[in-house]
């Protein structure tokens, strides 16, 4: 996702032929699509546009998955059958896998490959570095299930512990004693006093040394490790990856303190989970836990190795490595992930295997913000606990007040703070100067002495920017975001000169820059407790359409600073929000009264797709005598998911309730909406029983039914283009709330969610049209709940459906984008002419950003040094905006232009890409050749399908189709589609075989290809 791979499998030779205007029989209808144009301003995509137009060459890192089940899955299957594997049977299974690995490795080595690692407990695969040209030979080895790339991931408390109820639990004597937690992160500073180390600089030097190259960080000093808190671990990544090779050693010490590195994250997380200072004043959520430090993330960047992660998962399910997984850890914590989480992700697959074995896997939902479907893998795994981040109790909102000039004066509420440079008393009536990017190596664009420095986010740590301008005399700092996203908090990244710092929006920053001098005040504040943090990632889950995240917890608090011995600092991100408890108890007992953002939306409750069941309350989770979850699910949430609803429809789920008490209990049952004022609320009716009776130590079930009348739903306003990152629109369209069970002892909740799309149902009476005297017609009907808007294209190509057995499954680490139908048409953008390419695929995508990229090659030569390429991708790069745009590449010059949003909906198989004719070297009368390619742009960058060598003339198609009203086929009515032949079109546009109707808001078929048969008279013309 940080780079693109255009891997074309066939060389194409194109030519341009101009058709005389005299041959055109009539003006081709050209709809105006000006609404797709991007707002004025520069769009910088240079960081992500590096087209590689040949197949991958040279060394690649891959996982080779074998067909046999890994040990965790084999044992889980055996336990499900009632005959768990004995210790000897487990070891025999591992021995068989080891033999298979040896045979595979022998084959790979004969092909010149280097083995990088092998896993057999949570996953069954071997990693290699191998020449890409040798992959077909490696795939031919017996027993190979799949070859896929190694995927790397990104790293995303004194007051929070009592706030979430953990102190009350600790005071009752429950401290996590006997619970073992594996922390997969940057390692742990086991010498820190909060983690039962000595807390001395000398012991940290013993453990790590004085630099990343010191041999002491590759060996164990038994005088400092293991400890009574950090009882074991391993370093699977080394100190130099990814800048250098990945290495392994037995010392999982975290890098930090006086060492110049990017570590420390794991020590923060470990302290929040199970820290306990020697004086008893500082305690994590479960201070009695034992920790395993599994170092999988870099000491020199925020990357986490895909090879290291799967090897660490193996360690966690068999810590002593004896082949018997009965000693697996109780909890695996991963504060990392990949946005827009996909089912094919191999770490998600390994996590699910661990869950089946009985391990509680807790992961961060991610820090990608309020964008639809952006929640990360592996947290999207059905059995994994996905944790959102909520505000700590002391969090406060500080508005920015611009006092003057009058043109921009006002109160700006969309702001964020940083824990390492608190506002304190703030600043009153101070002038602002813009100092630019303000990284350590940058010249300051203005003297900030005695003023407030306005700096631009980007390139270096925000704390280093603050250090630079404060060193130059600034008395406060405003940090403007570099894009249109909401302000977020930032972790400390170095620097000693600090001052009150406030994060503001790009728009606010540009307003300040637009005037000669702005005078500002930052002083008054309001509490943010019990609200969601703006950067916390939103669901629902991309692959499963389920509620993710599932629970929230304060993720920024005071915790151990690696390498300081005794130091603590504020820590931000969903990483800290992962206390270990069983999912149902945590979700059922969570605090539901969590707000979206009091500073921006007042008392608006946080949507379920941002907060899940609510904010964790550990004391309630421990105390409850009742739990509830959903049948045939791995979650305590009722997820109906997305549904395009064309007529009244019922949805059903079954909820299971278990009573831990000895006596029979009767619970009242109610189902409520989160936001009854939501316009969509009028469309839904809910039904649950008034009560349920559950005997002691018994399980009972009840049905949940919702009925949706789509005619009462608001019109669908989301899309994957300009609104692709608009969480507020998702909030307005989705329906959610809680099912509550109550008796004299317990009150528990189960969240529910549905995303209903008011849909059309456009159908054609036939899929072909016979022309008579050059014309023919076809009736279109619409039995849906909204007007059936249809976009008409010239149908130029098709691709067959790929057999199911060739498609990827969970853990395969690749995606297949299967083209279905494609078409082309001429459109207008104001007074300019443009070309649009309409693409329909087999299988809908929750969001058009991933895992599909479509490339249209126009008049390209054989080696792709001439011609043009049009492709779609996320504006700003991976996980930047949520908005999909269409970019043009001039293959001769390398110049790129991005002028239009991609016309694509959420949960859709349709994509429409737009380019001005002038930008692709065409006129309306140019005959051109084009090919359309589909790529997996999430996992591999590989081409997965193509439709080649189509020839077309925009102003002279073979056939045109008219008659569909601009507003669409009316509800309950019909429209007549009139198809006409164009004189000379069979020569000018020989690839057109009919018309392609791409239906918006479709409940059923999104693409209706209509084959056109010309009559004899037309053929003679």
């Amino acid at each position: 996702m940080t780079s693109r791979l255009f891997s074309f499998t066939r060389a194409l030779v194109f030519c341009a032929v101009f058709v005389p205007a005299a041959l055109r029989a009539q003006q081709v209808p050209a709809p105006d699509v000006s609404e797709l144009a991007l707002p004025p301003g520069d769009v910088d995509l240079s960081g992500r546009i590096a087209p590689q137009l040949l197949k991958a060459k040279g060394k690649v890192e891959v996982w080779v998955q074998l067909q046999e089940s890994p040990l965790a899955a084999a044992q889980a299957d055996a336990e499900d059958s009632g005959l768990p594997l004995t210790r000897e049977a487990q070891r025999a299974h591992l021995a068989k896998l080891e033999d298979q690995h040896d045979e595979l490795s022998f084959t790979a080595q004969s092909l010149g490959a280097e083995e990088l690692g092998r896993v057999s407990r949570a996953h069954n695969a071997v990693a290699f570095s191998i020449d890409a040209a040798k992959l077909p030979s490696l795939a031919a080895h017996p027993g190979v299930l799949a070859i896929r790339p190694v995927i790397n991931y990104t790293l995303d408390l004194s007051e929070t512990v009592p706030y979430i109820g953990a102190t009350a639990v600790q005071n009752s004597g429950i401290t996590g004693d006997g619970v073992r937690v594996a922390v997969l992160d940057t390692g742990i500073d086991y010498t820190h006093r909060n983690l039962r180390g000595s807390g001395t600089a000398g012991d940290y030097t013993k453990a790590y040394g004085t630099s990343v190259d010191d041999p002491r960080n590759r060996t164990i000093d038994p005088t400092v490790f293991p400890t009574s808190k950090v009882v074991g671990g391993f370093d699977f990544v080394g100190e130099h990856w990814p800048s250098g090779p990945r290495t392994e050693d037995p010392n999982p010490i975290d890098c930090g303190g006086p060492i110049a590195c990017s570590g420390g994250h794991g020590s923060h997380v470990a302290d929040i989970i199970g820290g306990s200072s020697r004086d008893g004043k500082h305690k994590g959520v479960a201070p009695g836990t034992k920790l395993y430090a599994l170092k999988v993330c870099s000491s020199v960047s925020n990357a986490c190795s895909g090879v290291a992660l799967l090897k660490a998962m193996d360690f966690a399910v068999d810590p002593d490595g004896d082949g018997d997984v009965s000693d697996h850890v109780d909890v695996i914590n991963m504060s990392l992930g990949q946005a827009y989480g996909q089912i094919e992700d191999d770490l998600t697959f390994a996590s699910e295997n661990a869950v089946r074995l009985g391990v509680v896997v807790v992961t961060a939902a991610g820090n990608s913000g309020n964008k639809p479907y952006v929640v990360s893998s592996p947290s999207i795994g059905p059995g994994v606990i996905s944790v959102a981040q909520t505000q700590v109790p002391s969090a406060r909102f500080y508005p920015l007040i611009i006092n003057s000039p009058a043109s921009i004066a006002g109160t700006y509420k969309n702001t964020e703070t940083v824990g390492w440079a608190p506002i304190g008393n703030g600043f009153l009536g101070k002038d602002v100067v813009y100092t630019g990017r303000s990284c350590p190596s940058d010249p300051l664009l203005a003297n900030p002495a005695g003023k407030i420095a306005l700096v631009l986010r980007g390139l270096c740590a925000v704390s280093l920017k603050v250090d630079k301008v404060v060193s130059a005399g600034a008395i406060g700092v405003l940090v403007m975001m570099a894009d249109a996203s909401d302000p977020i908090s930032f972790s400390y990244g170095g620097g000693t000169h600090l001052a009150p710092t406030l994060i503001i929006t790009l728009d606010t920053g540009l307003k300040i820059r637009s005037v000669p001098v702005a005078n500002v005040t930052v002083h008054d504040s309001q509490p943010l407790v019990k609200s969601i943090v703006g950067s916390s990632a939103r669901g629902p889950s991309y692959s499963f359409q389920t509620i993710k995240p599932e629970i929230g917890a304060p993720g920024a608090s005071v915790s151990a600073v690696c390498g300081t011995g005794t130091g603590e600092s504020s820590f931000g991100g969903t990483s800290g929000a992962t206390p270990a408890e069983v999912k149902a108890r945590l979700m059922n007992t969570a605090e539901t009264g969590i707000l979206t953002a009091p500073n921006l939306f007042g008392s608006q409750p946080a949507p379920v797709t941002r907060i899940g069941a609510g904010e964790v309350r550990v004391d309630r989770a421990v105390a409850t005598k009742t739990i509830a979850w959903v049948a045939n699910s791995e979650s305590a949430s009722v997820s109906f998911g997305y549904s395009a609803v064309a007529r009244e429809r019922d949805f059903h789920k079954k909820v299971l309730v278990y009573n831990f008490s000895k006596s029979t209990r009767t619970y009242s049952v109610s189902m409520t909406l989160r936001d009854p004022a939501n316009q969509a609320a009028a469309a839904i009716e809910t039904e649950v029983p008034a009560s349920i009776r559950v005997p002691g130590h018994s399980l009972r079930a009840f049905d949940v039914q919702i009925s949706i009348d789509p005619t009462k739903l608001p019109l669908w306003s989301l899309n994957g283009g300009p609104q692709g990152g608009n969480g507020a629109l998702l909030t307005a369209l989705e329906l959610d709330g809680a099912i509550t069970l109550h008796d004299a002892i317990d009150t528990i909740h189960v969240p529910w969610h549905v995303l209903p799309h008011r849909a059309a149902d456009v159908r054609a009476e036939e899929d072909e049209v016979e022309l008579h005297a050059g014309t023919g017609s076809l009736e279109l009907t619409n039995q849906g709940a909204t007007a059936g808007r249809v976009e008409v294209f010239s149908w130029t190509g098709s691709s067959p459906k790929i057999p199911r057995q060739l498609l990827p499954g969970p853990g395969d680490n690749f995606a297949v984008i299967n083209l279905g139908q494609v078409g082309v048409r001429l459109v207008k953008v104001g007074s300019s002419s443009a070309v649009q390419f309409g693409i329909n695929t087999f299988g809908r995508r929750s969001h058009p950003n991933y895992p599909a990229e479509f490339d249209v090659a126009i008049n390209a030569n054989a080696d792709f040094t001439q011609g043009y390429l049009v492709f779609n991708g996320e504006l700003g790069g991976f996980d930047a905006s949520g908005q999909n745009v269409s970019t043009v590449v001039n293959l001769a010059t390398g110049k790129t232009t991005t002028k239009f949003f991609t016309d694509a909906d959420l949960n859709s198989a349709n994509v429409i890409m737009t380019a001005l004719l002038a930008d692709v070297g065409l006129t309306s009368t140019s005959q051109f050749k084009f090919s359309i390619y589909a790529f997996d742009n999430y996992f591999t960058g590989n081409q997965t399908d193509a439709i080649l060598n189509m020839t077309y003339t925009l102003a002279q198609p073979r056939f045109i189709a008219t008659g569909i009203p601009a507003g669409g086929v009316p509800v309950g009515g019909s429209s007549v589609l009139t198809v006409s032949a164009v004189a000379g079109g069979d020569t000018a546009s020989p690839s057109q075989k009919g018309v392609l109707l791409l239906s918006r808001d479709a409940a059923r078929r999104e693409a209706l290809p209509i084959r056109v048969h010309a009559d004899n008279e037309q053929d003679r013309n």
Side-chain angles (χ1 to χ4, degrees):
M1 287 65 60
T2 56
S3 65
R4 301 175 56 257
L5 178 62
F6 299 101
S7 53
F8 297 96
T9 58
R10 301 175 67 178
L12 311 176
V13 180
F14 296 131
C15 62
V17 179
F18 292 90
V19 179
L23 295 181
R24 289 176 298 171
Q26 61 190 93
Q27 178 66 41
V28 178
D32 193 305
V33 296
S34 300
E35 74 278 1
L36 294 175
L38 268 72
D42 295 332
V43 178
D44 181 10
L45 294 180
S46 59
R48 65 171 296 278
I49 300 173
Q52 300 173 14
L53 303 177
L54 299 174
K55 289 183 178 180
K57 294 181 178 179
K59 293 287 187 180
V60 292
E61 292 188 353
V62 298
W63 279 110
V64 181
Q65 183 182 359
L66 297 175
Q67 294 174 353
E68 197 81 30
S69 294
L71 178 57
Q75 178 67 308
D77 288 340
E79 290 175 352
D80 290 344
S81 71
L83 295 171
L85 299 177
T86 64
R87 178 176 299 183
E88 291 72 21
Q90 292 182 57
R91 289 172 175 167
H93 187 84
L94 283 179
K96 180 169 66 171
L97 298 186
E98 189 69 16
D99 288 343
Q100 294 173 359
H101 290 179
D102 289 342
E103 293 171 1
L104 175 64
S105 189
F106 180 80
T107 298
Q109 289 173 19
S110 72
L111 298 171
E114 174 192 359
E115 183 176 324
L116 302 176
R118 53 179 71 181
V119 291
S120 52
R121 273 81 167 171
H123 211 324
N124 179 19
V126 184
F128 298 102
S129 174
I130 186 173
D131 191 301
K134 303 292 186 180
L135 291 178
S137 299
L138 187 59
H141 181 86
V144 170
L145 181 63
I147 297 179
R148 58 209 187 284
V150 171
I151 299 296
N152 299 321
Y153 298 77
T154 303
L155 277 173
D156 293 329
L157 56 197
S158 59
E159 54 178 329
T160 63
V161 171
Y163 171 64
I164 65 172
T167 298
V169 174
Q170 294 166 11
N171 291 341
S172 72
I174 300 174
T175 63
D177 285 346
V179 175
R180 296 171 304 138
V181 181
V183 180
L184 280 62
D185 213 290
T186 61
I188 296 177
D189 175 10
Y190 46 75
T191 70
H192 199 284
R193 68 159 188 192
N194 287 1
L195 297 166
R196 292 293 170 177
S198 67
T200 66
D203 274 359
Y204 183 74
T205 301
K206 282 184 181 181
Y208 196 91
T210 57
S211 74
V212 292
D213 294 313
D214 196 307
R216 283 174 286 189
N217 58 51
R218 299 193 293 274
T219 58
I220 291 176
D221 184 334
T223 66
V224 291
F225 180 75
T227 70
S228 60
K229 170 61 63 177
V230 186
V231 298
F234 198 83
D235 180 356
F236 292 100
V237 73
E239 303 306 310
H240 295 282
W241 181 90
S243 301
R246 186 188 67 86
T247 59
E248 297 183 5
D249 62 71
N251 186 357
I253 186 68
D254 202 352
C255 182
I259 314 299
C261 60
S262 299
H265 192 274
S267 298
H268 278 296
V269 172
D271 187 20
I272 292 171
I273 292 172
S276 178
S277 62
R278 293 178 180 271
D279 59 10
K281 294 181 179 179
H282 174 98
K283 291 182 180 180
V285 173
T289 56
K290 305 295 184 184
L291 304 176
Y292 285 90
L294 302 182
K295 188 169 181 174
V296 297
C297 299
S298 174
S299 292
V300 294
S301 78
N302 66 345
C304 304
S305 164
V307 173
L309 277 160
L310 288 191
K311 297 195 76 172
M313 291 294 290
D314 258 22
F315 183 106
V317 299
D318 186 12
D320 62 8
D322 68 349
D324 179 0
V325 294
S326 62
D327 63 333
H328 63 74
V329 299
D330 302 292
V331 180
I332 293 174
N333 181 92
M334 288 181 282
S335 304
L336 48 86
Q338 187 83 320
Y340 296 101
Q342 309 280 316
I343 187 176
E344 296 88 358
D345 176 73
D346 58 3
L347 185 57
T348 303
F349 181 70
S351 299
E352 284 293 295
N353 282 336
V355 170
R356 292 188 63 203
L357 198 60
V359 180
V360 176
V361 180
V362 187
T363 69
N367 296 324
S368 297
N370 187 20
K371 300 194 287 282
Y373 292 102
V374 78
V375 63
S376 293
S377 55
S379 84
I380 58 107
V384 175
I385 300 177
S386 177
V387 186
Q389 184 190 359
T390 54
Q391 300 282 2
V392 297
S394 64
R396 303 190 71 83
F397 144 64
Y398 289 83
L400 173 68
I401 300 172
I402 300 181
N403 303 307
S404 63
S407 60
I408 63 169
T411 300
Y412 295 79
K413 296 183 177 182
N414 196 359
T415 65
E416 185 59 86
T417 58
V418 292
W420 41 265
I423 298 298
N425 292 325
F427 35 85
L428 302 171
K430 298 298 181 181
D431 290 345
V432 180
V433 295
Y434 178 63
T435 60
R437 193 173 58 185
S438 307
C439 285
S441 61
D442 295 331
L444 296 181
L445 302 184
N447 182 4
K451 297 182 173 64
I452 306 302
L454 174 64
V455 306
L456 178 66
R457 176 194 180 187
L459 190 64
C460 66
V462 167
S463 60
L464 294 177
K465 299 173 184 284
V466 174
D467 177 80
K468 185 176 180 77
V469 297
V470 173
S471 297
I475 58 175
V477 184
L478 300 176
V479 180
M480 60 186 284
M481 298 293 287
D483 56 31
S485 57
D486 289 333
I488 60 174
S489 188
F490 297 92
S491 296
Y492 177 72
T496 57
H497 301 86
L498 304 175
T501 298
L502 192 71
I503 317 299
I504 62 175
T505 66
L506 173 64
D507 181 66
T508 303
L510 292 176
K511 286 182 178 179
I512 293 173
R513 289 186 59 189
S514 71
V515 299
V517 179
N519 184 274
V520 302
T521 292
V522 175
H523 179 68
D524 296 326
S525 66
Q526 302 169 17
L528 289 173
V529 63
K530 294 175 68 174
S531 67
I532 198 80
V533 170
S535 61
S536 190
R538 183 167 192 165
S541 95
Y542 185 105
S543 295
F544 298 99
Q545 291 286 342
T546 52
I547 294 173
K548 292 282 182 171
E550 292 161 303
I551 199 164
S557 187
V558 175
S559 56
V561 177
C562 174
T564 64
T566 60
E568 300 174 350
S569 74
S570 181
F571 177 57
T574 52
S575 306
T578 53
E581 274 289 353
V582 177
K583 182 187 288 191
R585 285 181 172 269
L586 292 173
M587 293 180 69
N588 290 165
T589 59
E591 172 59 50
T592 58
I594 306 303
L595 304 181
T596 298
N599 54 320
L600 300 177
F601 304 109
S603 59
Q604 181 193 81
V608 164
T609 51
R610 294 211 74 190
I611 189 60
E615 189 176 68
V616 66
R617 291 294 182 267
V618 178
D619 53 341
R620 300 179 194 171
V622 171
T624 186
K625 300 296 183 184
T626 310
I627 61 171
W629 68 98
V630 178
N632 302 314
S633 166
E634 295 181 73
S635 185
S637 61
V638 176
S639 297
F640 295 108
Y642 168 86
S643 182
V645 187
R647 53 190 60 83
E648 287 192 39
R649 183 177 172 189
D650 295 337
F651 301 80
H652 298 267
K653 292 283 185 178
K654 180 176 289 187
V655 173
L656 305 175
V657 183
Y658 189 83
N659 172 15
F660 288 94
S661 303
K662 295 180 180 180
S663 58
T664 297
R665 297 163 65 183
T666 299
Y667 305 88
S668 64
V669 183
S670 61
M671 187 172 179
T672 56
L673 281 162
R674 172 185 58 86
D675 182 11
N678 187 328
Q679 182 184 351
I684 190 170
E685 292 183 2
T686 64
E687 183 178 338
V688 292
S691 63
I692 182 172
R693 185 172 180 270
V694 185
H697 296 295
S698 297
L699 181 71
R700 291 293 184 269
F702 67 88
D703 289 325
V704 178
Q705 176 178 307
I706 63 171
S707 302
I708 294 178
D709 179 354
T711 63
K712 297 179 181 179
L713 290 169
L715 294 177
W716 186 259
S717 52
L718 266 174
N719 59 55
Q723 306 303 337
N726 193 332
L729 274 183
L730 177 59
T731 301
L733 292 169
E734 65 188 355
L735 290 163
D736 57 15
I739 300 165
T740 301
L741 287 83
H742 171 77
D743 76 347
I745 301 173
D746 290 322
T747 298
I748 64 171
H749 309 277
V750 176
W752 66 271
H753 170 266
V754 65
L755 178 57
H757 184 157
R758 182 171 175 172
D761 188 7
V762 175
R763 307 187 189 195
E765 59 181 349
E766 300 286 346
D767 60 3
E768 58 185 17
V769 172
E770 294 278 354
L771 299 188
H772 301 282
T775 64
S777 63
L778 184 73
E779 184 180 37
L780 302 178
T781 61
N782 176 21
Q783 298 302 314
T786 189
R789 297 176 294 157
V790 176
E791 304 297 332
V792 181
F793 285 81
S794 294
W795 180 28
T796 56
S798 303
S799 181
K801 189 173 185 178
I802 296 173
R804 180 178 296 273
Q805 61 267 29
L806 299 181
L807 299 178
D812 281 346
N813 260 23
F814 71 95
V816 170
I817 313 305
N818 187 184
L819 294 171
Q821 318 299 330
V822 300
V824 61
R825 69 179 181 179
L826 179 70
V827 295
K828 303 294 288 186
V829 181
S831 60
S832 300
S833 293
V835 59
Q836 281 193 327
F837 299 96
I839 301 169
N840 172 263
T841 62
F842 292 100
R844 299 191 182 200
R845 291 167 296 284
S846 296
H847 199 291
N849 283 345
Y850 308 99
E853 176 185 312
F854 302 99
D855 292 12
V856 183
I858 301 171
N859 286 340
N861 61 355
D863 59 1
F864 296 96
T865 59
Q866 299 294 324
Y868 297 87
L869 189 75
V870 183
F871 70 92
N872 70 302
E874 186 171 6
L875 178 62
F878 183 72
D879 189 26
S881 65
Q883 300 166 304
N884 204 268
V885 292
S886 298
T887 295
V888 176
V889 182
N890 184 321
L891 297 175
T893 65
K895 179 183 177 182
T896 64
T897 56
T898 305
K899 296 181 178 178
F900 297 97
F901 289 108
T902 305
D903 189 352
D905 208 345
L906 305 185
N907 296 287
S908 174
N910 288 347
V911 170
I912 300 173
M913 297 193 293
T914 308
L916 292 177
L917 295 188
D919 289 340
V920 291
L922 298 177
T923 69
S924 63
T925 57
S926 303
Q927 187 184 68
F928 64 97
K929 288 194 174 184
F930 68 100
S931 297
I932 296 180
Y933 303 84
F935 292 86
D936 165 10
N937 71 341
Y938 190 87
F939 293 103
T940 67
N942 290 340
Q943 178 189 318
T944 66
D945 203 357
I947 300 175
L948 306 175
N949 297 332
M950 293 167 280
T951 303
Y952 189 77
T953 304
L954 291 164
Q956 199 167 15
R958 289 185 69 194
F959 316 106
I960 59 172
T962 59
I964 300 177
V969 182
V971 174
S974 63
S975 298
V976 175
L977 183 75
T978 300
V979 181
S980 304
V982 177
D986 51 351
T987 300
S989 301
S991 294
Q992 185 182 359
K993 50 190 176 182
V995 294
L996 176 63
L997 308 181
L998 296 184
S999 181
R1000 300 183 185 273
D1001 306 307
R1004 296 175 65 254
R1005 296 180 64 185
E1006 289 189 289
L1008 300 172
I1010 308 297
R1011 187 173 295 276
V1012 178
H1013 299 284
D1015 57 15
N1016 292 334
E1017 178 182 352
Q1018 177 64 22
D1019 287 341
R1020 286 193 298 271
N1021 290 338

